Amino acid sequence: MEELEVADLFSIALFSFYALCPVSVAALQFLTAPYGKHVRPGWGPSLPAPLAWFLMESPTLWLTLLLYPRGRHRSHPFALAVLSLYLLHYVHRTIVYPLRLHFSSSSSKKAAGFPLLIALFGFAFNLLNAYLQSRSISHYADYTGHQAQAWLRAAAGAVVFFWGMAINITSDSALMRLKAEGGGYKIPRGGWFELVSCPNYMGEMMEWLGWAVMAWLPAAMGFFLYTCSNLGPRARANLQWYRDKFGDAYPKSRKAFVPFIY
């Protein structure tokens, strides 16, 4: 009975995860989260951006490491391979990225404040996501009969994951360098910036697409869909921000999120 109740909780959480996707897309048509380029007053107290990123992303590490060892498949090599890429991304996003943000901004000016309310929303989402991914990988996945085809699919997914991660990190680095130069916002040039306004978001989308292919689980696919639901509208808002700020100087051929499409 207890096992059934826990499974019911997982099912409810998974359904809620998928339901968040259309809700996020609809809400973000009317509201742009007020951080980064879109920071504005009226959202209550704020935190330094590096601290906010660390706190709101942290459940992806500590909650995952608490829950994963409780799964019946915790020692399965496929589960460990899938988990390792998830943790790799979030070690960077939770620890490395905030540190880089802190030191890159301290050389010029401190990063703009990050509303505490938005950080709390992010924290809550990451609690849900860490719970779903860790339990899905380590407990609810079916690894019986895993053959060479599954590992080949996982290898293909891993290639896409690392490709996306490289785009994400190098694009973030380019934006940090521009900010460190001072003198306000500038038009990013070169690389994937010539095709989309937010290659950092595109790279993250590719990461989770590759990871979903690798994991081949409903929770992983839900995470990919939510990533698109969240980052796609924000990339569109960033593209409009650039056009409003720079006018005709901003390349008209650039898309927001997906080259030549969106």
Side-chain angles (χ1 to χ4, degrees), residues 74-111:
R74 60 187 176 273
S75 299
H76 196 285
F78 198 90
L80 290 170
V82 172
L83 177 74
S84 65
L85 295 196
Y86 178 83
L87 290 178
L88 176 64
H89 172 90
Y90 278 111
V91 165
H92 176 265
R93 184 57 64 185
T94 306
I95 300 172
V96 178
Y97 176 73
L99 286 174
R100 295 181 67 204
L101 193 62
H102 170 73
F103 288 113
S104 68
S105 61
S106 64
S107 63
S108 54
K109 63 178 183 178
K110 289 294 180 184

Side-chain angles (χ1 to χ4, degrees), residues 4-148:
L4 182 61
E5 290 174 354
V6 173
D8 287 344
L9 174 62
F10 179 84
S11 298
I12 293 169
L14 184 59
F15 174 81
S16 301
F17 202 51
Y18 275 86
L20 277 174
C21 295
V23 171
S24 296
V25 170
L28 293 174
Q29 302 307 307
F30 306 99
L31 176 67
T32 302
Y35 65 89
K37 296 177 179 63
H38 306 281
V39 67
R40 54 191 183 273
W43 285 80
S46 63
L47 299 172
L51 178 60
W53 279 105
F54 169 75
L55 291 176
M56 71 179 178
E57 302 284 359
S58 65
T60 58
L61 297 182
W62 58 261
L63 185 57
T64 299
L65 295 176
L66 281 174
L67 292 178
Y68 182 87
R70 300 173 182 269
R72 57 190 169 198
H73 304 306
R74 60 187 176 273
S75 299
H76 196 285
F78 198 90
L80 290 170
V82 172
L83 177 74
S84 65
L85 295 196
Y86 178 83
L87 290 178
L88 176 64
H89 172 90
Y90 278 111
V91 165
H92 176 265
R93 184 57 64 185
T94 306
I95 300 172
V96 178
Y97 176 73
L99 286 174
R100 295 181 67 204
L101 193 62
H102 170 73
F103 288 113
S104 68
S105 61
S106 64
S107 63
S108 54
K109 63 178 183 178
K110 289 294 180 184
F114 197 111
L116 176 60
L117 180 62
I118 301 300
L120 290 175
F121 282 136
F123 184 86
F125 169 79
N126 284 314
L127 282 175
L128 174 63
N129 191 39
Y131 165 73
L132 282 170
Q133 305 308 332
S134 58
R135 293 299 287 166
S136 178
I137 297 166
S138 71
H139 196 72
Y140 292 109
D142 182 8
Y143 298 116
T144 58
H146 252 55
Q147 304 297 326

Side-chain angles (χ1 to χ4, degrees), residues 7 98 150 186:
K186 304 178 181 67

Side-chain angles (χ1 to χ4, degrees), residues 181-242:
E181 291 174 1
Y185 282 102
K186 304 178 181 67
I187 299 175
R189 305 281 185 182
W192 288 95
F193 283 105
E194 298 303 320
L195 297 177
V196 292
S197 63
C198 298
N200 50 336
Y201 294 167
M202 183 191 78
E204 188 162 348
M205 175 201 52
M206 295 305 296
E207 282 186 73
W208 297 124
L209 172 61
W211 192 72
V213 169
M214 183 182 187
W216 211 245
L217 295 169
M221 181 55 67
F223 186 26
F224 164 68
L225 293 176
Y226 180 81
T227 299
C228 296
S229 301
N230 182 42
L231 295 185
R234 184 158 184 92
R236 183 70 183 177
N238 281 357
L239 174 62
Q240 189 59 51
W241 184 93
Y242 277 119

Side-chain angles (χ1 to χ4, degrees), residues 151-197:
W151 283 102
L152 286 173
R153 186 192 66 242
V159 169
V160 176
F161 176 91
F162 283 112
W163 177 46
M165 189 173 192
I167 294 172
N168 176 258
I169 292 174
T170 56
S171 301
D172 276 341
S173 297
L175 293 172
M176 288 180 188
R177 284 194 299 270
L178 281 179
K179 187 177 293 186
E181 291 174 1
Y185 282 102
K186 304 178 181 67
I187 299 175
R189 305 281 185 182
W192 288 95
F193 283 105
E194 298 303 320
L195 297 177
V196 292
S197 63

